[in-house]
Amino acid sequence: QMQLQESGPGQAKPSETLSLTCLVSGGSISSRSYYWGWIRQPPGQGLEWIGSMFSSGSTYYNPSLNSRVTISVDTSKNQFSLKLSSVTAADTAVYYCGRHRMIRGRLDVFDVWGQGTLVTVSS
Amino acid sequence: DIQMTQSPSTVSASVGDRVTITCRASQSVSNWLAWYQQKPGKAPKALIYKASSLESGVPSRFSGSGSGTEFTLTISSLQPDDFATYYCQEYNSYWTFGQGTKVEIK
């Protein structure tokens, strides 16, 4: 059974770059049926899709974050990563990685999720 | 940008009740809509995709309907395990979530 596990620093300073990695186990990140994405949830608030990436490098980013987000995939390590630059307190959130399912060429739900990791932006 | 608005924000209900949650899109998303359930401290779980298709393993008391701009999630007979927050998510343009509806014990 596929599992996803986020890792990375739990804190970041304002104006710095937040970096997280998601390790995929129980299946290949090179599967042609899935993209791989990031979603975040500020404390006590709702969900926000950040971006999704295919193993070939094709990406979709949330337009509201596009200029600050980079998602990359390392197929040799079966993992993918998130970098979010110029962070502020508003970027404090639980960050989830997820498997973004593709059906007939359309990305629909995140059907497998990591447990989430809290990142706090504070000086 | 498409905005997704859920109502109500909170619903108080008892075990056995029928619960309906509404999700409205600011423009048509056809039937490209999903529903998730999230419990405190846990990742969301997909329940429904394409407005009315049940994810594998999801109990049949959950159902979804709608198209265009108005959608509903119905729990036909609320069970103790169903007290949670529910989110809709469109995937016609990007993958925008509604703000959530908390189902709490009455």
Side-chain angles (χ1 to χ4, degrees), chain A residues 39 41 45-49 60-61 63 96 100-101 103-104 106-111 113-115, chain B residues 1 32 34 36 38 41-46 48-50 55 87 89 91-92 94-95 97-99:
Chain A
I39 309 95
Q41 185 170 37
Q45 298 185 39
L47 300 162
E48 180 180 34
W49 168 72
Y60 295 99
Y61 293 142
Y96 295 100
H100 203 168
R101 187 174 67 192
I103 296 180
R104 298 187 191 89
R106 181 178 290 269
L107 293 174
D108 63 359
V109 302
F110 288 90
D111 64 349
W113 294 65
Q115 65 184 23
Chain B
D1 294 1
W32 305 121
Y36 294 82
Q38 186 180 33
K42 300 294 186 183
K45 171 188 173 184
I48 286 170
Y49 66 100
K50 208 174 178 184
E55 284 287 315
Y87 294 92
Q89 174 221 309
Y91 53 99
N92 185 63
Y94 289 98
W95 294 272
F97 291 89
Q99 82 279 15

Side-chain angles (χ1 to χ4, degrees), chain B residues 29-103:
Chain B
V29 298
S30 184
N31 61 350
W32 305 121
L33 186 107
W35 290 95
Y36 294 82
Q37 176 193 67
Q38 186 180 33
K39 296 181 179 178
K42 300 294 186 183
K45 171 188 173 184
L47 299 176
I48 286 170
Y49 66 100
K50 208 174 178 184
S52 60
S53 297
L54 215 58
E55 284 287 315
S56 175
V58 174
S60 58
R61 62 180 180 273
F62 291 93
S63 63
S65 64
S67 65
T69 62
E70 187 154 335
F71 302 85
T72 59
L73 172 70
T74 299
I75 309 172
S76 60
S77 177
L78 197 65
Q79 298 301 301
D81 191 48
D82 302 337
F83 292 98
T85 299
Y86 293 85
Y87 294 92
C88 62
Q89 174 221 309
E90 65 86 15
Y91 53 99
N92 185 63
S93 60
Y94 289 98
W95 294 272
T96 305
F97 291 89
Q99 82 279 15
T101 295
K102 183 178 181 180
V103 177

